[in-house]
Amino acid sequence: MKQNNWFDPFFIFENLSEEDLHIQKNVKDFSESILKPNVVKHNRNHYFDRELYKEFGKLGLLGSTINSHGGSGASDTAYGLIAYEIEKIDSSYRSSISVQSSLVIHPIHSFGNEEQKDKYLPDLISGDKIGCFGLTESEAGSDPSSMKTTYKKHQDGYILNGNKNWITNSPIADIFIVWALNEKHETNSIKGFILEKETKGLSTNIIENKTSLKISPTGQILIDNVYFHNSNCLENTEGWSSVFSCLNKARFGISWGVLGSATECWLIAKDYVENRIMFKKPLAANQLIQKKLADMQTEINLGLAACHITAKAMNEGKDIINSISILKRNNCKKSLDIVRDCRDMLGANGLIEDYHIMRHLVNLETVKTYEGTEDIHSLILGRNQTNIPSF
Ligand code: TGC
Ligand code: FAD
């Protein structure tokens, strides 16, 4: 059969700009040569090498869309491609890049003053400093507006009290973006603060028994009467829409990333069924198997096409709130279905860690949950259609 474009039927990769293609190739080479060889071992040991951040920085993967302070001013498509290539190896590594870029560098760049940008962005973009984003609390997950963390004005600064839970990177972070309400818990009083690791009263814990996203350190932020100067406040935030602007960016990256995970597993399963002989012929010679491959190819490419269109809309400054919820919800759901089918196609071998698929499968359970669960995105889309909130 002549060569055909089964892998890229909508010519998404073929039509990338030269710059985006170049970025994708560099990230792919890095992922395969540096991340992939140790991923199974590091996952088994819950091990994250913080020096990796410097490697990410050197490659321009942190704050890639920022035009200043060392950022390379890459396109939103390039940001998506970075997530796609990195998550082919493990969702944990994509999480590291998402949090630093979308949840730490983005709010400082968008809502910080010039001194804050000069002070924090260069080290975050180079990977010399690691950041985290504290929104969720034990009793405020899907509904962050129920948070109990509060600030109060004190002298020429603020005093902050509360606890954040399930925070990516908190155990290894140098810089903490923390969101809090005023003492009356008024929803519209939400403010963001930049805290530093050494601040008195600030400490962290690690969640040690996670069964998913094991390479990525996740923990709590414990904030006990933490006093800091006014200059640590992100003074240009505009209520919740500023919080959500961070989430929009992270959700966009996740939407590309999970398709990287799905693609990796699809290709592993395709190779396996082409070579595995059962009933005296390759598994791939069975119609049921070919249908599964066709379903994977279809969903991955439809998802990528939608991500690509959304990246262009973002570059043009269009309102992408609905597209982001559609993508985050659907791409996570479809990727989980695909990876589960891949696991099945490898039979017992699908359970072996060296085939990578089970690790991707359990990681995707996290990715389905964070940044708005699948059902929360259904409710966002339902509310936006009907104008009736049903949360
Ligand atoms: P709601 O009334 O909907 O909105 C309040 C204000 O925000 C505006 N807004 C948005 N602005 C920009 N982008 C969006 N996507 C926006 N959505 C809403 C809205 O217009 C309004 O503005 P204004 O000016 O009128 O005040 O707020 P709500 O409280 O009803 O929101 C409900 C809900 C469920 C949508 C929201 O709470 C939600 O999204 N919950 C999910 C929580 C979540 O996603 N948490 C993520 C935590 S961070 C994380 O998980 C990181 S994972 C890290 C990793 O990758 O490792
Ligand atoms: P809950 O809100 O308790 O939801 C439980 C279930 O109930 C879900 O199925 C949900 O869809 C459903 N549900 C909730 N409300 C409704 C409703 N009204 N109607 C119908 N169903 C509903 N947060 C951060 O701030 N920063 C981070 O860096 C970060 N990193 C994370 C890393 C990991 C590994 C994980 C697992 C989470 C992380 N999170 C982070 C937290 C994450 O955003 C929350 O877990 C997520 O928002 C869901 O909140 P919850 O776990 O409290 O679930």
Side-chain angles (χ1 to χ4, degrees), residues 94-96 98-99 103 133 135-136 141-145 166 168 187 213 216 238-242 244-245 247-248 250-251 254 321 369-373 376-377 380 383 391:
R94 195 267 311 132
S95 245
S96 317
S98 295
V99 167
L103 301 182
F133 177 89
L135 179 65
T136 303
S142 295
D143 177 18
S145 67
W166 287 102
T168 298
T187 309
L213 217 73
S216 168
E238 291 176 352
W240 282 93
S241 60
S242 301
F244 289 128
S245 87
L247 303 188
N248 289 341
R251 290 167 176 174
I254 286 170
I321 289 180
T369 295
Y370 66 28
E371 286 291 355
T373 65
I376 287 299
H377 284 289
I380 292 172
R383 190 259 320 260
F391 301 106

Side-chain angles (χ1 to χ4, degrees), residues 90-204:
D90 197 279
S91 305
S92 295
Y93 294 126
R94 195 267 311 132
S95 245
S96 317
I97 288 169
S98 295
V99 167
Q100 186 97 339
S101 299
S102 295
L103 301 182
V104 181
I105 292 172
H106 163 72
I108 296 175
H109 184 255
S110 299
F111 312 120
N113 58 33
E114 290 311 312
E115 292 88 83
Q116 290 168 335
K117 290 184 205 179
D118 293 344
K119 181 171 178 191
Y120 296 111
L121 289 181
D123 284 348
L124 287 164
I125 289 173
S126 66
D128 286 307
K129 291 259 164 79
I130 299 177
C132 71
F133 177 89
L135 179 65
T136 303
E137 299 179 4
S138 300
E139 290 163 58
S142 295
D143 177 18
S145 67
S146 304
M147 70 173 67
K148 295 198 172 69
T149 302
T150 55
Y151 60 82
K152 74 172 175 201
K153 275 299 292 170
H154 181 72
Q155 296 168 351
D156 52 357
Y158 292 88
I159 291 182
L160 203 61
N161 272 296
N163 292 322
K164 299 289 176 182
N165 201 2
W166 287 102
I167 307 304
T168 298
N169 278 352
S170 80
I172 59 165
D174 307 292
I175 312 286
F176 296 68
I177 302 292
V178 174
W179 299 93
L181 299 178
N182 66 11
E183 280 188 297
K184 292 184 189 154
H185 294 96
E186 288 166 320
T187 309
N188 61 4
S189 67
I190 185 82
K191 276 187 190 296
F193 303 100
I194 312 173
L195 305 183
E196 294 177 28
K197 187 190 173 82
E198 297 74 23
T199 314
K200 190 164 169 251
L202 183 84
S203 59
T204 61

Side-chain angles (χ1 to χ4, degrees), residues 76-88:
D76 289 307
T77 305
Y79 176 70
L81 290 166
I82 292 169
Y84 171 78
E85 288 301 335
I86 296 279
E87 199 151 351
K88 281 185 184 173

